[in-house]
Amino acid sequence: MGKLLFYLISAGKLGKVLTTGGTMLISVFAYGLVFGWPYAVGFVGLIFVHEMGHYIAARQRGLDVGAPTFIPFIGAWVELKDMPHNAETEAYVGFAGPFAGTLAAFACYFAARSFDSQLLLALSYAGFFINLFNLIPLSPFDGGRITAILSPRIWLLGVPVLIGMFFYYPSPMLILMAFLAAPQVMRAWNFDPEAPENQAYYTVKPELRITYALYYIGLATFLAIMTHDVHEMLAPVSSF
């Protein structure tokens, strides 16, 4: 019986590894067909670091969370099997992904400048942009999970941002994100801060609200600057 239990536990862990590893390989293959294998490996690696930021933060807060799962040209996610107990925990887990992803992108940028690598510079740009994109203040984006600590009504500010991005760069993924965000927009529109369940979930010390607001603004500003600057560095190369 003990050996059987150990086998089942091991199989469960192996299943998580196979799910993450298998979907990563599928994503690398799909991206590789379009962008080439070196870029595909680096790009999927950047996404993996982002998702592991969420994973580690969730585990730190005692939440049961699944390993990352990848879908080519959509992205990846970690399944929260336990929902956050309050808005601060949600913001903590939400912030950890873009923060880890930004560190990975900056590591690519530093290596690119050190070794004069256009590949690494292109990867750093992708990393900066993806994490900036994820900071749109609208759930289910990470930015929506972070800004919810201030008020879910802030999600309404993310609507024109998402619409503007679609007109600037039409993409099926943006349509998918708009579809997923629609119920959250209605939730923000009808949000009642006096409702008992909302008071229980969103009541947070003022200093924590200020702290997360500064974290969010600081990270978004840094990512916006780096995305712009790296894009300018790549522009002369892409013109040839």
Side-chain angles (χ1 to χ4, degrees):
M1 181 63 70
K3 290 183 178 180
L4 176 61
L5 181 60
F6 176 78
Y7 173 78
L8 292 174
I9 292 175
S10 299
K13 292 180 179 179
L14 180 61
K16 292 180 180 180
V17 173
L18 291 177
T19 298
T20 299
T23 55
M24 284 182 71
L25 289 175
I26 293 172
S27 293
V28 168
F29 178 78
Y31 290 125
L33 293 176
V34 179
F35 303 110
W37 305 114
Y39 183 89
V41 171
F43 184 69
V44 172
L46 287 169
I47 297 175
F48 177 75
V49 173
H50 175 108
E51 294 304 325
M52 286 305 296
H54 291 309
Y55 179 87
I56 293 171
R59 293 295 298 268
Q60 287 177 336
R61 292 303 178 94
L63 301 177
D64 187 10
V65 58
T69 302
F70 290 75
I71 297 181
F73 304 106
I74 298 296
W77 75 92
V78 291
E79 179 187 1
L80 284 178
K81 300 178 182 180
D82 291 334
M83 297 308 295
H85 309 300
N86 52 57
E88 192 277 330
T89 299
E90 183 176 4
Y92 181 82
V93 175
F95 184 82
F99 181 72
T102 299
L103 292 179
F106 189 76
C108 286
Y109 173 78
F110 182 81
R113 299 303 299 271
S114 298
F115 300 106
D116 193 25
S117 170
Q118 291 298 317
L119 171 62
L120 291 173
L121 193 63
L123 285 170
S124 72
Y125 172 75
F128 290 134
F129 179 80
I130 288 174
N131 286 285
L132 179 62
F133 175 73
N134 265 286
L135 287 182
I136 293 176
L138 175 62
S139 184
F141 293 101
D142 294 332
R145 301 187 182 282
I146 300 167
T147 56
I149 197 172
L150 304 176
S151 171
R153 287 175 177 166
I154 292 181
W155 296 347
L156 298 175
L157 299 177
V159 174
V161 176
L162 192 60
I163 294 174
M165 288 194 66
F166 179 79
F167 280 103
Y168 179 76
Y169 187 74
S171 168
M173 188 180 73
L174 292 176
I175 297 176
L176 173 62
M177 295 307 299
F179 177 78
L180 295 175
Q184 307 304 324
V185 173
M186 295 303 301
R187 178 183 165 195
W189 183 266
N190 297 316
F191 179 71
D192 179 10
E194 302 301 324
E197 63 274 14
N198 290 334
Q199 287 189 342
Y201 189 82
Y202 292 102
T203 298
V204 179
K205 294 180 180 179
E207 54 267 30
L208 279 177
R209 295 182 192 273
I210 295 173
T211 297
Y212 277 99
L214 292 175
Y215 285 165
Y216 175 81
I217 294 171
L219 185 60
T221 301
F222 176 78
L223 286 170
I225 292 172
M226 294 304 296
T227 299
H228 173 269
D229 288 355
V230 176
H231 181 269
E232 292 299 305
M233 294 177 190
L234 291 169
V237 177
S238 61
S239 64
F240 287 102

